[in-house]
Every structure is written in structure tokens, then in C-alpha cells.
């Protein structure tokens, strides 16, 4: 398993006071407000019209006109077009029903790490904010399942931007798991994804945000990861998007001599000499690991978006949505 230490060494923390909790809540609120402003300015409108009606029957949105056929409802006659063409026309309608989106947000100890612009945890919260703000409109509902590796929290799906903002605030305030706290719960991500399948829901959208670094993703010869099966089950009924969070130091090591690394999931500490041979072996193992993750996501039928702490995540989302739309128009999505 390839994981590195947090940017700062873990220390024994005292129990948080009421003032500490209030300060943390205020800081999270400020961050979410800045995120909302940035997202709505740069990404608003990207996902509009991307889903079809979820219920049978005509909708309320006006569509194109077509010639009248026996049996059509005369109340839908398009009189202006009929007058221009002298041929009876009816106005078609578009069924654009509400969409229910569920987020599965992994905030386990392996995401408390970052060597570039931010920690992976911060990027995961930003991705959740982007999905939340882009999909909650027109009566759409957004809910979430959040895990820190030790606890699992379900936040009910509700409509409205205020409810979505409150949900994202609770996600941002999810407590960090202590180092080694997830060692006894290796299947925490599989459990979190499986929670999206219970109870069964009508067709909608499911977004899984994680680094997918579980103990059963080791090398290319590893068996299927524990989270692949619940992800496949989820994709049978829903449109699934997997957002993979990575950091550049997880893909390659710098030449810095002897490096102390900590596995935040188990708390194990190692000293590694970053010579050329070790760096090459590390890069090859990291590439194999990421390919194993990508292969599992493909087999599960999930769309795959990778966000890195050293890149412009907003631009990455724009490119991903544009590619999905091009693929959808050609019938080649996923």
C-alpha cells in the first residue's frame, strides 16, 4: 500500500473546547461560502439539462412542434405554427423531473495528506461542494453518506440550496480519524458505498469521492477491491461518478535522502532512502496501483474523474463534463 505521512507530524491533541468548535465551524462556513461563489461563477449551467425525466408522462417544459396525428391532445395545438404552415401542429413537452443525487464522501486518515496546494481532504470537500451546488436546483435533492474510517454518517437528501449548504457544512466538520484508527475497519469504503444502496431508491445520480486507497489495492496481481462489488450494484440503478483524489507525492518520490513516512491508516512508521532505484520502483508501483483502481472503476461501470492537489480542479471538472457531453452525443459515454 502506497501512502505517505501527513504534512505535519501527529501530536497528542487535547479535547476541543466550545470555543475551538465555534472557531472551526466559522472557518468551515467561510470556506464553503468562497467555494460556492467560485463554483457558481465558473461552473453554473454545466450540468443543466443533462438528465432525462424520471417519471412517465408529459412534462411541463415546452419543446418542439410536430404535425398533428389522430389521437393527439387538441389542448396542445400550436396555433402560431399551424397558422404559418396551414398544417395542424401540436407542441411537444419535455419531461424534466427532479433529480436525486447522493454523495459518498471518504474523509478517512489517508486523505489527511497533501504536499501541493491543499490536503486531499480539502479537495474532497471542494468536489462535494461542486457537485452539490451544481445539482441542487429545480426541486432536486442532495444527500450524503460520510465516513472518516471509523464512523459512518448519513445526511438525508433534501431540496433547496440552504439544505445543501447545511449538508456540506456537516461534511466539512466531519472529525478527523486518529492515525491507525481505520486499521481495524478495512472495509469502511465498501460499507459507505453499500449504504447508498439501502434503502433502494429510484434512478438518480451517485457520486463517490475518495482516494480509493484500501488495503486490498496493493499491486496489479491483487484481487478485486472490496468496494468494487457495491459500486457495481450501485451502477445497475444509478448514474455513478467516481472522483479519485490524488497527491503528486503519491505518484513519485523526491530525491531528498532519507525520508520518514507514516501510513495514516495504520500508524506504521518507516524510514526510506530515496535513491534512484527506490524512486523508480516507487513510481512503477504507484502506476500499477492507480491502474488497478482505474480498472476496478471501469469494471464497475462508473465514470472516472481524477482530481489532484497540484492542479486546477475547477478546470479538470469543466474538461470532464465537456468530454462526457461529447461522448454522450456520440453514444460512447463511459
Amino acid at each position: 500500500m502506497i501512502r505517505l505521512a501527513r504534512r505535519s507530524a501527529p501530536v497528542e491533541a487535547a479535547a476541543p473546547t466550545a470555543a475551538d468548535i465555534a472557531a472551526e465551524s466559522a472557518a468551515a462556513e467561510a470556506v464553503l461560502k468562497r467555494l460556492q461563489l467560485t463554483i457558481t461563477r465558473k461552473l453554473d449551467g454545466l450540468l443543466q439539462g443533462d438528465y432525462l425525466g424520471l417519471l412517465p408522462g408529459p412534462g411541463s417544459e415546452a419543446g418542439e412542434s410536430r404535425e398533428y396525428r389522430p389521437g393527439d391532445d387538441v389542448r396542445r395545438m400550436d396555433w402560431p405554427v399551424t397558422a404559418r404552415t396551414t398544417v395542424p401542429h401540436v407542441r411537444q413537452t419535455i419531461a424534466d423531473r427532479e433529480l436525486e443525487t447522493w454523495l459518498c464522501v471518504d474523509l478517512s486518515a489517508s486523505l489527511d495528506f497533501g504536499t501541493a496546494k491543499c490536503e486531499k481532504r480539502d479537495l474532497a470537500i471542494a468536489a462535494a461542494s461542486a457537485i452539490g451546488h451544481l445539482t441542487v436546483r429545480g426541486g432536486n435533492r442532495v444527500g450524503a453518506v460520510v465516513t472518516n474510517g471509523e464512523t459512518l454518517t448519513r445526511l438525508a437528501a433534501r431540496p433547496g440550496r440552504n439544505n445543501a449548504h447545511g449538508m456540506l457544512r456537516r461534511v466539512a466538520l466531519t472529525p478527523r480519524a486518529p492515525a491507525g484508527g481505520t486499521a481495524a475497519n478495512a472495509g469502511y469504503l465498501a460499507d459507505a458505498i453499500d449504504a447508498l444502496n439501502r434503502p433502494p431508491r429510484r434512478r438518480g445520480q451517485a457520486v463517490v469521492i475518495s482516494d480509493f486507497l484500501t488495503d486490498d489495492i496493493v499491486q496489479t496481481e491483487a484481487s478485486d477491491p472490496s468496494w468494487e462489488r457495491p459500486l457495481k450494484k450501485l451502477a445497475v440503478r444509478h448514474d455513478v461518478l467516481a472522483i479519485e483524489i490524488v497527491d503528486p507525492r503519491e505518484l513519485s518520490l523526491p530525491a531528498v535522502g532519507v525520508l520518514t513516512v507514516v501510513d495514516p491508516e495504520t500508524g506504521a512508521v518507516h524510514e526510506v532512502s530515496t535513491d534512484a532505484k527506490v524512486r523508480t520502483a516507487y513510481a512503477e508501483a504507484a502506476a500499477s496501483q492507480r491502474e488497478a483502481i482505474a480498472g476496478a472503476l471501469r469494471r464497475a461501470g462508473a465514470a472516472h474523474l481524477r482530481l489532484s492537489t497540484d492542479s486546477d480542479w475547477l478546470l479538470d471538472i469543466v474538461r470532464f463534463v465537456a468530454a462526457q457531453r461529447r461522448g454522450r452525443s456520440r453514444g460512447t459515454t463511459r
Side-chain angles (χ1 to χ4, degrees):
M1 176 59 58
I2 299 174
R3 301 192 187 100
L4 294 179
R6 302 178 187 178
R7 285 190 293 181
S8 58
V11 296
E12 190 70 26
T17 63
D20 294 334
I21 295 175
E24 185 177 1
S25 179
E29 186 74 21
V31 169
L32 288 176
K33 285 183 178 179
R34 288 198 300 270
L35 275 174
Q36 181 179 5
L37 183 61
T38 302
I39 290 166
T40 53
R41 280 181 175 177
K42 295 188 177 182
L43 299 183
D44 195 24
L46 272 180
L47 301 184
Q48 289 180 359
D50 264 12
Y51 55 93
L52 301 177
L54 300 176
L55 300 177
S60 58
E61 295 293 328
E64 297 181 352
S65 295
R66 61 167 175 81
E67 291 188 11
Y68 173 85
R69 291 194 291 265
D72 287 338
D73 190 347
V74 295
R75 291 173 297 181
R76 294 195 290 117
M77 292 292 296
D78 191 338
W79 296 113
V81 176
T82 299
R84 285 199 310 269
T85 62
T86 69
V87 178
H89 277 70
V90 293
R91 172 70 70 178
Q92 294 178 299
T93 55
I94 301 172
D96 192 9
R97 309 290 183 178
E98 62 185 27
L99 174 71
E100 184 169 284
T101 300
W102 277 88
L103 308 176
C104 175
V105 187
D106 175 13
L107 297 178
S108 59
S110 64
L111 281 94
D112 296 338
F113 170 73
T115 61
K117 299 178 181 179
C118 62
E119 289 188 351
K120 293 197 297 179
R121 177 190 177 97
D122 300 328
L123 187 54
I125 294 173
S129 298
I131 299 298
H133 289 306
L134 285 174
T135 57
V136 59
R137 57 166 57 86
N140 295 343
R141 296 188 299 275
V142 181
V145 170
V146 189
T147 178
N148 66 356
E150 286 190 324
T151 61
L152 185 69
T153 304
R154 184 190 297 271
L155 306 176
R158 294 188 175 92
R161 290 192 177 274
N162 290 337
N163 287 322
H165 188 81
M167 179 203 71
L168 293 170
R169 182 169 59 250
R170 292 186 62 183
V171 172
L173 291 174
T174 300
R176 298 175 185 258
T182 60
N185 187 19
Y188 68 89
L189 183 56
D191 293 340
I193 296 174
D194 199 42
L196 298 183
N197 290 310
R198 302 190 306 269
R201 300 180 179 87
R202 70 181 187 181
R203 179 177 172 84
Q205 182 178 7
V207 182
V208 181
I209 304 173
S210 174
D211 57 7
F212 297 98
L213 291 180
T214 54
D215 289 337
D216 39 19
I217 287 286
V218 183
Q219 298 292 339
T220 54
E221 67 267 22
S223 59
D224 295 346
S226 59
W227 46 261
E228 182 178 344
R229 185 173 181 180
L231 198 62
K232 284 181 179 178
K233 182 179 178 183
L234 191 65
V236 169
R237 189 171 179 84
H238 306 282
D239 291 328
V240 178
L241 169 61
I243 300 180
E244 181 187 6
I245 308 296
V246 301
D247 185 86
R249 289 287 74 83
E250 294 174 329
L251 307 178
S252 63
L253 285 176
V256 292
V258 177
L259 180 66
T260 300
V261 296
V262 179
D263 185 341
E265 301 283 359
T266 64
V269 181
H270 301 279
E271 288 189 349
V272 179
S273 176
T274 57
D275 55 43
K277 184 178 180 180
V278 171
R279 295 199 307 273
T280 300
Y282 181 93
E284 292 175 351
S288 298
Q289 185 184 75
R290 294 299 166 177
E291 180 54 37
I293 293 173
L297 295 176
R298 284 195 301 269
R299 292 192 300 270
H304 183 196
L305 169 61
R306 177 179 290 181
L307 300 180
S308 179
T309 58
D310 66 341
S311 64
D312 186 339
W313 60 275
L314 282 170
L315 183 58
D316 291 338
I317 293 178
V318 170
R319 288 171 175 166
F320 174 79
V321 173
Q324 288 291 99
R325 283 185 167 174
R326 288 195 299 268
R328 186 178 295 112
S329 64
R330 299 169 185 166
T332 59
T333 52
R334 303 194 197 196

